[in-house]
Amino acid sequence: MPKIALPDGSERHYDGPVTAGQIAADIGPGLEKAALSAVVNGNHWDINRIIDEDSEIRLITKKDDYCLELIRHDCAHILAEAVLELYPETQVTIGPAIENGFYYDFYRENPFSSDDLVSIEKRMHEIVDRDEQIIRGEWSREEAVRFYKDRNEPFKIELVEAIPESETVSYYQQGEFIDLCRGPHMLSTKKVGHAFKLMKVAGAYWRGDSNNPMLQRIYGTAFLKEADLETYLTMLEEAEKRDHRKLGKALNLFHLQEEAAGSIFWHPNGWTLYREIESYIRRRLNSENYQEVKTPQMIDKSLWEESGHWEKFGENMFTANTKDDKILALKPMNCPGHVQIYRQGVKSYRDLPLRMAEFGSCHRNEPSGALHGIMRVRAFTQDDAHIFCTEEQINSESVAFCNLLKDIYADFGFSDIRVKFSDRPEVRAGDDKTWDKAEQALTSATKAAGIETSSNPGEGAFYGPKLEFVLTDAIGRDWQCGTLQVDFILPERLGAEYVDENGKRKRPVMLHRAILGSLERWIGILIEQYSGKMPPWLSPVQVVIAPITESSNDYANLVYRDLKNVGIRVHIDLRNEKIGFKIREHSNAKVPFILAAGGREEESRTVALRQLGSKNQEVMSLSEVNSFLQLECMPPDLAKNTK
RNA sequence: GCUGCUGUAGCUCAGUAGGUAGAGCACACCCUUGGUAAGGGUGAGGUCGAUGGUUCAAAUCCAUUCAGCAGCACCA
């Protein structure tokens, strides 16, 4: 005799087993119609699944976010059904709902073409219109295995065998199609509606392991309403326009070419941006009492063996052989080099914390498929630093670092940061006791800094746990930028030490930390964040002065020299073009300020200022415009100081 | 690295029955000196990612290779 508790605190009593659907109907016909699935004692259940014991239930309707998951998961099944109808030789594997849609992985000899997608999608719409009932059933393990043996579906057999003994094996049937599935699903294929679209095909490894066979994954997306689908597709188009690879070319910031895959050719515009960021960071680190150093690009293999890099990451390191049979390696990281500087001379506890910074140019031989614009490259520069400190100082140094990082991110316009806590990986150096200590230290530092983290198990560096500060690019890809890593291991391996208050030699702790991560990646993210429309302090060209006609060239030149003299990045456009044309070009180039100067301005010793994104002009005197632009173009840290 | 797709003038792209390449923009020159998102004319520019093959003949077919794109795997 089930007693049903509802979210509003009320209870309903039934004489026999009921379904969530019946309960909804009892509450009201509106709800009966709207209910799609239910949460029964915390588990997602079908609306028509029998409830025969006391339960807490909550009904899922279109108002719940979860309904998108339902639709997408149903969609994945419909996709699989369509594929099997059209290409019966295909084997099905798994097909979940994901963040922006769903996918289904298939195994077959010949991959799907984009034409295939069109016919599959068409068939899916037909299946929805067929209004097939989706029916849940249960199997014993043997039945399930036999079913898939008969159909020659080894992947599914593997899945069945992976289900823990404690769980029942359920399947869902719609029409002729039967799929092993935990559920829940809606009542019929019709419920899915038609607001879905197949997006792309791509390879994906069985169970995400590159040693396994490659499957054909079809991605799709689905929404409640057609309008939502349209909105999503438009959003994707808009995001593509901000792609840093497109904008980088359009704004003449950099280029890449195949003879130097994974390395960037910085053009004058891009390099100006790069240097502006570098100077900014240098100022910030300097005022936080970091000392900047520069360490060798190539170091003998023996040092990398000592540090552990050769063993753990040798595959990704570029090497150069010398005539006398030495092997030099291009540095993939700066830490061993910094320890070498630290080790020059005896260090006292009075020297700690010692903060050593470097704009470290690193090379890593990334797999070809990993390269992505300037976000993932083989040659990049880290705003790297290592803080050598005592165990007691870990906390205060971490807090100071997190605060600095937040402040710097804010200066670049980022307030929404996600932080992941990555703990010990399988392949690691050092014993478990050391790792316990390091992870505890980092956890407590995180708390002290008031930072919320999500856990990222097993993803730490080989020498220590880390915080990863993650930003998302225009196309929704996540990129790790900043990082903070607690390392008890490298100081040991590379013999860093200090003399404590009692004259004893001790190991310092190393905090590896970066804020932007890689300057290259940071610039890529900035371009996308601002759609190329950089704030004035970062704009490669801050001001363009455009005379109306040739007769104003001399006057324009005077204005130009005035601005140039106070350090503003100003260009002058003396081309034989109309003012409208010049405005258009410099606006497209996203120059923040355009100054027009013609006879009127010359007469009154003024200029007409036009800001990017505004149609209005503002007439200002030369001294006004000079101080206005100086202020507007000032980096945020310096601007704070002048206030 | 794996699977699929793509690779044509500086840029964006067209070139579907294999017969030695086109457009727009940009560029150069000339005309125009014009007030806030494209004034007009003329002209120069590619041997079609690379290599090899099939063919009387290849940008167009085949093979290999490089790079890019999407996803997967990887990301110290």
Side-chain angles (χ1 to χ4, degrees), chain A residues 106-143:
Chain A
F106 302 96
Y107 180 76
R108 67 200 309 260
E109 290 288 313
N110 300 312
F112 295 107
S113 68
S114 37
D115 289 342
D116 292 339
L117 281 197
V118 175
S119 37
I120 295 168
E121 191 174 299
K122 196 166 156 246
R123 181 60 65 96
M124 288 173 69
H125 284 289
E126 288 168 24
I127 293 172
V128 169
D129 288 335
R130 277 185 220 156
D131 193 11
E132 293 174 352
Q133 301 301 300
I134 306 176
I135 300 154
R136 180 177 186 275
E138 287 182 11
W139 272 330
S140 70
R141 249 146 260 275
E142 296 67 36
E143 284 171 327

Side-chain angles (χ1 to χ4, degrees), chain A residues 14-83:
Chain A
Y14 289 88
D15 294 338
V18 286
T19 67
Q22 287 166 341
I23 297 166
D26 289 345
I27 297 171
L31 189 58
E32 179 188 16
K33 220 175 152 189
L36 299 171
S37 73
V39 183
V40 179
N41 298 324
N43 301 313
H44 282 286
W45 277 30
D46 308 306
I47 196 79
N48 59 351
R49 190 162 162 190
I50 303 289
I51 301 169
D52 55 9
E53 50 192 40
D54 293 355
S55 303
E56 280 183 21
I57 85 155
R58 186 165 70 80
L59 294 162
I60 300 290
T61 67
K62 286 183 178 181
K63 285 180 187 160
D64 293 273
D65 291 342
Y66 186 76
C67 90
L68 271 185
E69 248 176 84
L70 275 174
I71 290 173
R72 288 167 180 173
H73 191 183
D74 282 13
C75 236
H77 278 225
I78 292 169
L79 165 60
E81 183 178 1
V83 165

Side-chain angles (χ1 to χ4, degrees), chain A residues 149 151 161 221 233 242 247 308 395 418 450 483 491 521 536:
Chain A
K149 266 213 175 109
R151 302 203 170 198
E161 283 164 353
T221 190
L233 296 177
R242 322 174 137 222
L247 286 170
N395 236 320
R418 291 189 300 117
T483 183
R521 173 175 297 178

Side-chain angles (χ1 to χ4, degrees), chain A residues 175-192:
Chain A
E176 298 293 304
F177 176 67
I178 295 179
D179 201 0
L180 176 78
C181 183
R182 189 181 291 128
H185 284 279
M186 297 188 288
L187 289 177
S188 130
T189 56
K190 193 171 189 174
K191 295 263 184 193
V192 168

Side-chain angles (χ1 to χ4, degrees), chain A residues 144-212:
Chain A
V145 169
R146 201 176 321 125
F147 178 84
Y148 283 121
K149 266 213 175 109
D150 290 347
R151 302 203 170 198
N152 191 26
E153 296 260 15
F155 294 100
K156 282 291 190 188
I157 296 176
E158 218 180 304
L159 288 177
V160 173
E161 283 164 353
I163 298 175
E165 285 298 326
S166 56
E167 277 185 39
T168 49
V169 179
S170 60
Y171 65 86
Y172 283 79
Q173 177 163 18
Q174 57 197 52
E176 298 293 304
F177 176 67
I178 295 179
D179 201 0
L180 176 78
C181 183
R182 189 181 291 128
H185 284 279
M186 297 188 288
L187 289 177
S188 130
T189 56
K190 193 171 189 174
K191 295 263 184 193
V192 168
H194 291 281
F196 62 81
K197 183 173 166 58
L198 297 185
M199 305 296 285
K200 54 198 166 197
V201 236
Y205 298 107
W206 168 238
R207 306 197 129 185
D209 185 334
S210 58
N211 297 313
N212 288 342

